Amino acid sequence: MLRFAPSPTGDMHIGNLRAAIFNYILCMQRNEKFLLRIEDTDTARNIEGKDKDIMFLLTLFGIKWDMLIYQSDNFPRHRQLADYLISQDKAFYCYCTKEFLDQKREESKAKHEAFRYDDSWATLQKDSNPHPVIRLRGSKVAMEFTDKIKGKIEFSPNELDSFVILKENGIPTYNFACAVDDMLYDIDFIVRGEDHVSNTPKQMLIHQALNYQKNIEFAHLPILLNEEGKKMSKRDNASSVQWLLNEGYLPQAIANYLILIGNKTPCEIFTLKDSIKWFDIQNIAKAPAKFDINKLRFLNREHFKLLSEQDLAVLLGYKDSSIGALAKLYLQESSTLNELREKVDRIFMKKSLLLESTMEFQEEIKTLQNTLQTMLKTQDFTKEDYENFKSQAMNHSNLKGKKFFKPLRFLLTGYEHGPELSDLFPILRLYLQDIIRS
């Protein structure tokens, strides 16, 4: 079984979505179950409703899970196993206060040494601290594992000092809850961000202490960088999946990009379903990948082209498939759903609301609008070609050159520039009564 284990503490980061996508693909390839585990151990930072947001987004991206658990439901089991480790002398109570440990950290810092916990400190403050934590004994030997992306990774004993597995309030730490739950649900392959590399030996040590011998494979994904080459953080709008969706990027385009970036793929444009046929986790580059919003814009345009005209129309808020066809004509200059919607909506807006005081040919626009409204009262242009429509409008309005063509474009599209009117007209002619209104 594989798992995706997000925390309900904020908006989903694209790095987390990338991990979810890769885990899902591997589940499909290996014909294994997929576990969604909401890691709600950090009770102080949990945000109500974020678990539902996570599930909504996964569903939107076509990621289905076979089992859903909340980590907090397993707290009794975590405490039971912590007590077991105490009974086996593989863990111990530590009475050190925060102030004491902070002082020790400052002393290490002053000596330019890495802070390491000393087991002899455990009972020094036993009489003054009635709320101890439980620590797992550190490793006395080096530990290593082979990562599917990064290769062999080693940790020396001095990097694995005794660490907390149960807090003073009885809540398990991230590493303990994670390791125990991976054991309880028979997880055999873990794909997650490289910021978890340092957690891996601790979780392996927990498994060893609990006599759990199942081999678990690991793949730690390189971080994503922003356009400045720095790690993407909450300050980067594009790091938020919800922000990308709000901006008008399609889920299928976002998924395409997250699979493509830093990867060797047989093609550039594909769907999540397509990638299941050829995806190989070992083709992911070891180096961080830079997130390029312009590349995502390109992929978004390509996925708009793959949509049926009816589906695109519905996304834009219209019923007629012809509106989807109209929108596709704007893909040379529009890359997101928001941009396409603005183009289409302006076509049907009252043009008097769009006139600006600085706009050229205002009188000509009014003249041509009156002319077209008069023509539409007596003629049906729904089957007329553009050249005939243009000729009649020009003759009836007595306008020529720029004084005709610029007002005509504005009245038909709401813009001064855009695709060729001859390309747009076969669709616009179906809606002229709605378009040419006061």
Side-chain angles (χ1 to χ4, degrees), residues 399-411:
L399 298 173
K400 296 180 180 180
K402 289 183 179 180
K403 291 187 177 183
F404 172 77
F405 286 106
K406 287 202 171 186
L408 181 64
R409 174 175 290 282
F410 175 76
L411 288 170

Side-chain angles (χ1 to χ4, degrees), residues 361-375 389-390 392-394 396-399 403-412 436:
F361 310 122
Q362 292 210 21
E363 288 304 315
E364 288 81 0
I365 289 172
K366 293 175 183 177
T367 297
L368 183 56
Q369 186 174 37
N370 290 333
T371 299
L372 294 177
Q373 288 174 345
T374 301
M375 289 169 55
F389 171 79
K390 179 184 67 175
Q392 289 194 52
M394 189 179 293
H396 286 299
S397 66
N398 292 317
L399 298 173
K403 291 187 177 183
F404 172 77
F405 286 106
K406 287 202 171 186
L408 181 64
R409 174 175 290 282
F410 175 76
L411 288 170
L412 291 179
I436 309 298

Side-chain angles (χ1 to χ4, degrees), residues 176 195 408:
F176 190 59
D195 51 327
L408 181 64

Side-chain angles (χ1 to χ4, degrees), residues 10 14 35 135 172 214 216 285 310 318 343:
I14 55 167
L35 169 68
R135 287 181 180 267
K214 184 181 181 73
I216 298 178
Q310 182 64 57
Y318 294 85
K343 297 292 185 184

Side-chain angles (χ1 to χ4, degrees), residues 1 3 30 145-148 178-179 181-184 186-192 200 203-204 207 212-219:
M1 182 181 287
R3 47 79 159 177
R30 296 156 66 105
F145 68 95
T146 301
D147 190 273
K148 289 290 186 180
C178 182
D181 287 349
D182 286 341
M183 179 180 73
L184 294 178
D186 199 28
I187 302 300
D188 56 15
F189 196 171
I190 296 174
V191 180
R192 56 189 179 186
T200 302
Q203 292 165 14
M204 292 171 62
H207 285 162
Y212 185 69
Q213 298 180 352
K214 184 181 181 73
N215 179 53
I216 298 178
E217 296 180 285
F218 292 94

